[in-house]
Amino acid sequence: MWGLLLALAAFAPAVGPALGAPRNSVLDVAQPATTKVPGSIPAPNSSLAQLPAETANGTSERHVRIRIIKKKKVIMKKRKKLTRPTPLVTARPLVTPTPAGTLNPAEKQETGCPPLGLESLRVSDSRLEASSSQSFGLGPHRGRLNIQSGLEDGDLYDGAWCAEEQDTDPWFQVDAGHPTRFSGVITQGRNSVWRYDWVTSYKVQFSNDSRTWWGSRNHSSGMDAVFPANSDPETPVLNLLPEPQVARFIRLLPQTWLQGGTPCLRAEILACPVSDPNDLFLEAPAPGSSDPLDFRHHNYKAMRKLMKQVHEQCPNITRVYSIGKSYQGLKLYVMEMSDQPGEHELGEPEVRYVAGMHGNEALGRELLLLLMQFLCHEFLRGNPRVTRLLTEMRIHLLPSMNPDGYEIAYHRGSELVGWAEGRWNNQSIDLNHNFADLNTPLWEAQDDGKVPHIVPNHHLPLPTYYTLPNATVAPETRAVIKWMKRIPFVLSANLHGGMNDFSYLHTNCFEVTVELSCDKFPHENELPQEWENNKDALLTYLEQVRMGIAGVVRDKDTELGIADAVIAVDGINHDVTTAWGGDYWRLLTPGDYMVTASAEGYHSVTRNCRVTFEEGPFPCNFVLTKTPKQRLRELLAAGAKVPPDLRRRLERLRGLKD
């Protein structure tokens, strides 16, 4: 449907720099670290100093099981393991009593500066360089925090920057584009299903021209600082610089890495913009928004408070309700926005936005909280576009489908949450894959020629296994399914998740999935720009519900609406049904359509309905007449006398059968 696709085209870029791979490949074992080649001896305060005593071959004799995921096969192998220190999350440069390359304990520092933008792609590929690369797929442009690899190593989408094995002085360099105040570095190892590579320590250097460099130094000794890095591929490790540095370029110089591997890393740089006194560099306009909205991340308590504030500010057009509870007992709150909140108005379509299916994907959650604030604020200002939206449709906003997962991610913070932490609910269920598979039985029925005469092409029932008491169905999933059934939604968007097929096949609702950002949990200072990137698209997509036909199917005798009447469009193998008041909506692109309305106990009616390029929807109403058998059934049930005309019709029908 090109109109819907045009609306989606306005959303921020959906495709990230990597094709995601299942993150079952997290390795829970460390191996001995490899030092740099002679000539670059690591300082005694490197992570090697923390390792326990080794056997002659460099490993301890303790054996552990390693879980390796190879596509869909789980292989259990035994491997000798060297005990490693506890993974670090926030680290300081290591401290030892020796003078060379060490640091005194740094005073308490705040992270202060936001990310420079490697993860969010604000830093372009051309501004990332390295001393060497094993392949194009392991080039410096892949050295971005949380970047994902494909299932196959060696393709264009590997999961880190990796230096060549023979590179004796590897480095990874970022060009900030203008003088910048660098305050910290976050690193990860290589994301790969097949290999384990990560840097265990590194140094940091700075330059204004990429030729003359100086290092981050210890306050007391004046020697170059050596920073502890990673002890597994995925846990982000933050190091704050002992002294923030103003420069244009920053380099990370791996000093040690996992034994048997190569120096591989993914990184984010914490940096604040500074003004150039010589005006030699053009300053980029500061990202922001003129809308007076609350641009920050909201945990569960803050989200609930904000929704309450929006309702109190706009009580006549809002209603806050809950559709159920999470596994941990947190309510799944929905903000309803309409000129008549709390009731379905005949002929008025219902639309919804859902976010937060994966708890660590915070942008969708914040965009919906911003959208409800914006709609309230603009309605009070008399914005005609917003006023029309709220008077012509009923909007439902579910900002957090997985509040349990979000609380975990929020506690870790936007830059340290990683790719997987907080993704699942508290039962370790991925809600993205928790909805029933209705595609497979439908496709099988189509192949057997059973659709739509034996197997319907709409409102497919839930599979038997899915309804069993011991079925693995999260309470969050059950709550959303009940919500779908209770309200006759016409159009929906999931700000990331796999329930769009389920919604389309189990209900009337046409739903799409919107991938919002390369950065799952963007820093708060990026929220104003992300709002501006997506604001118009969020409004435009809602307006697409006007495209197509809409009407009411009524009973000829009573003039009442007929619930569950089927609306079939010739040439389109997917029907919709009427709501309890007999009203329906069918999204269609411009053109002429033969549309049939049918209901049990009624004669079907077919008519031509035209959809124009003008704003709709085009009215296409139906009046159905009861069949003689249905009329007789109703009269007998009421104890009424059969009228002469009905008696004659029934006699003629009996004669035709004889």
Side-chain angles (χ1 to χ4, degrees):
M1 303 179 69
W2 63 269
L4 295 174
L5 295 177
L6 285 177
L8 287 176
F11 278 96
V15 180
L19 300 177
R23 295 303 295 275
N24 305 1
S25 58
V26 176
L27 181 68
D28 60 354
V29 62
Q31 298 178 353
T34 296
T35 63
K36 289 183 62 177
V37 296
S40 299
I41 301 175
N45 64 331
S46 71
S47 58
L48 289 177
Q50 302 183 41
L51 298 177
E54 300 175 346
T55 58
N57 62 1
T59 61
S60 68
E61 289 298 332
R62 186 159 65 89
H63 290 77
V64 295
R65 288 188 178 274
I66 302 175
R67 185 170 182 265
I68 302 173
I69 303 300
K70 185 175 182 181
K71 293 191 176 176
K72 293 187 178 179
K73 296 180 180 178
V74 178
I75 304 171
M76 300 301 294
K77 292 184 178 179
K78 278 192 175 182
R79 186 181 228 171
K80 290 184 178 181
K81 173 193 172 185
L82 181 66
T83 305
R84 58 179 171 85
T86 303
L88 297 173
V89 176
T90 302
R92 296 286 183 184
L94 294 171
V95 179
T96 70
T98 59
T102 63
L103 292 170
N104 289 328
E107 297 80 7
K108 183 178 180 181
Q109 265 183 317
E110 299 298 331
T111 56
C113 294
L116 187 62
L118 276 71
E119 182 178 9
S120 65
L121 298 184
R122 286 202 316 276
V123 175
S124 64
D125 290 350
S126 62
R127 289 161 56 186
L128 304 177
E129 296 185 38
S131 55
S132 65
S133 301
Q134 291 183 21
S135 65
F136 179 79
L138 292 170
H141 64 293
R142 303 296 295 172
R144 302 174 182 273
L145 193 72
N146 286 318
I147 206 165
Q148 304 296 294
S149 69
L151 287 177
E152 301 296 334
D153 281 348
D155 60 13
L156 300 180
Y157 303 103
D158 264 320
W161 160 71
C162 292
E164 293 179 347
E165 293 184 9
Q166 62 270 29
D167 189 344
T168 59
D169 292 292
W171 51 261
F172 174 79
Q173 176 178 308
V174 181
D175 177 6
H178 48 76
T180 301
R181 181 176 177 268
F182 298 110
S183 66
V185 177
I186 303 172
T187 58
Q188 289 172 307
R190 177 180 179 179
N191 173 249
S192 173
V193 178
W194 312 110
R195 287 185 56 86
Y196 313 115
D197 297 291
W198 59 81
V199 170
T200 56
S201 67
Y202 61 91
K203 293 182 179 180
V204 183
Q205 292 183 342
F206 311 93
S207 175
N208 286 318
D209 56 11
S210 76
R211 293 186 296 274
T212 303
W213 295 86
W214 72 91
S216 181
R217 294 184 178 272
N218 177 327
H219 284 300
S220 59
S221 69
M223 304 299 291
D224 285 347
V226 179
F227 297 88
N230 299 88
S231 53
D232 65 65
E234 300 303 331
T235 305
V237 174
L238 165 65
N239 277 291
L240 299 179
L241 301 180
E243 186 74 32
Q245 299 290 317
V246 176
R248 174 175 170 177
F249 299 89
I250 183 171
R251 268 187 187 179
L252 308 184
L253 298 89
Q255 301 296 294
T256 58
W257 47 90
L258 188 69
Q259 182 175 352
T262 55
C264 297
L265 61 79
R266 295 173 285 166
E268 182 61 88
I269 308 298
L270 302 184
C272 292
V274 296
S275 58
D276 178 22
N278 299 317
D279 291 326
L280 296 177
F281 301 91
L282 294 175
E283 291 190 16
S289 173
S290 59
D291 294 327
L293 309 176
D294 186 4
F295 293 105
R296 61 189 177 95
H297 289 294
H298 298 77
N299 62 10
Y300 178 77
K301 184 177 180 180
M303 178 191 74
R304 185 173 58 182
K305 181 179 179 181
L306 184 143
M307 295 177 75
K308 183 174 182 290
Q309 291 172 342
V310 172
H311 172 62
E312 290 173 347
Q313 187 177 2
C314 296
N316 295 329
I317 60 166
T318 62
R319 179 175 74 103
V320 179
Y321 65 95
S322 171
I323 62 171
K325 292 183 179 181
S326 70
Y327 183 73
Q328 288 290 92
L330 300 182
K331 291 185 178 180
L332 307 182
Y333 285 113
V334 177
M335 173 66 76
E336 177 192 336
M337 307 194 77
S338 171
D339 61 341
Q340 295 291 333
E343 63 177 281
H344 172 74
E345 297 182 74
L346 188 69
E348 190 168 288
E350 309 269 358
V351 294
R352 71 172 182 254
Y353 276 130
V354 178
M357 174 176 276
H358 289 153
N360 63 346
E361 296 176 6
L363 181 56
R365 173 191 182 108
E366 296 307 324
L367 285 179
L368 293 194
L369 293 177
L370 292 168
L371 179 61
M372 62 181 70
Q373 295 175 67
F374 176 81
L375 292 175
C376 172
H377 183 264
E378 293 301 302
F379 180 82
L380 295 178
R381 291 182 63 242
N383 183 319
R385 184 184 189 186
V386 169
T387 300
R388 186 179 179 191
L389 280 173
L390 296 178
T391 55
E392 292 186 356
M393 64 189 70
R394 191 173 170 217
I395 302 169
H396 304 258
L397 307 177
L398 172 59
S400 187
M401 182 179 167
N402 182 5
D404 296 348
Y406 179 83
E407 292 301 296
I408 295 173
Y410 179 85
H411 179 72
R412 294 283 283 130
S414 64
E415 305 311 310
L416 298 179
V417 67
W419 190 90
E421 196 167 8
R423 175 184 176 92
W424 300 279
N425 79 339
N426 266 60
Q427 292 173 284
S428 298
I429 294 177
D430 187 347
L431 302 182
N432 186 30
H433 302 289
N434 198 225
F435 288 84
D437 175 20
L438 301 182
N439 294 329
T440 300
L442 179 64
W443 292 336
E444 290 175 351
Q446 285 180 334
D447 292 341
D448 295 338
K450 297 180 179 179
V451 178
H453 305 292
I454 300 176
V455 177
N457 60 14
H458 62 96
H459 288 78
L460 271 66
L462 293 174
T464 302
Y465 74 88
Y466 199 80
T467 60
L468 296 176
N470 61 346
T472 307
V473 184
E476 298 90 341
T477 307
R478 293 189 187 277
V480 170
I481 292 175
K482 291 180 181 178
W483 185 42
M484 291 178 176
K485 292 181 176 181
R486 188 167 68 249
I487 298 176
F489 291 112
V490 180
L491 183 64
S492 173
N494 185 5
L495 306 188
H496 185 67
M499 69 182 181
N500 47 357
D501 291 341
F502 177 87
S503 176
Y504 187 61
L505 295 177
H506 192 60
T507 72
N508 283 340
C509 188
F510 182 89
E511 181 164 325
V512 299
T513 294
V514 180
E515 299 282 359
L516 285 170
S517 173
C518 299
D519 188 347
K520 289 174 177 287
F521 207 128
H523 192 272
E524 281 188 353
N525 78 329
E526 299 177 28
L527 293 179
Q529 187 59 52
E530 290 290 359
W531 167 246
E532 289 300 320
N533 291 343
N534 293 284
K535 173 174 65 175
D536 189 65
L538 288 167
L539 300 176
T540 302
Y541 185 76
L542 293 175
E543 292 168 338
Q544 302 310 301
V545 77
R546 302 178 184 139
M547 183 175 60
I549 60 175
V552 180
V553 180
R554 300 183 186 276
D555 182 299
K556 181 181 179 182
D557 298 329
T558 65
E559 297 185 352
L560 297 176
I562 302 173
D564 297 321
V566 177
I567 305 297
V569 179
D570 190 28
I572 299 178
N573 193 22
H574 183 78
D575 303 337
V576 298
T577 58
T578 58
W580 50 84
D583 46 347
Y584 79 92
W585 305 263
R586 185 62 171 92
L587 300 174
L588 294 169
T589 56
D592 289 301
Y593 299 91
M594 296 303 297
V595 183
T596 300
S598 59
E600 185 177 356
Y602 291 85
H603 293 292
S604 299
V605 173
T606 300
R607 57 167 295 190
N608 180 73
C609 299
R610 170 171 291 183
V611 179
T612 68
F613 284 94
E614 298 178 2
E615 283 197 359
F618 178 82
C620 194
N621 298 307
F622 293 87
V623 177
L624 303 188
T625 304
K626 291 186 179 75
T627 63
K629 285 186 177 180
Q630 179 65 21
R631 289 183 63 195
L632 177 62
R633 213 176 281 126
E634 293 179 359
L635 289 170
L636 293 176
K641 185 177 180 180
V642 179
D645 65 320
L646 178 57
R647 188 184 303 111
R648 287 192 294 270
R649 292 188 65 185
L650 291 171
E651 290 173 354
R652 283 199 299 269
L653 289 173
R654 293 192 191 98
L656 290 175
K657 287 184 179 181
D658 295 338

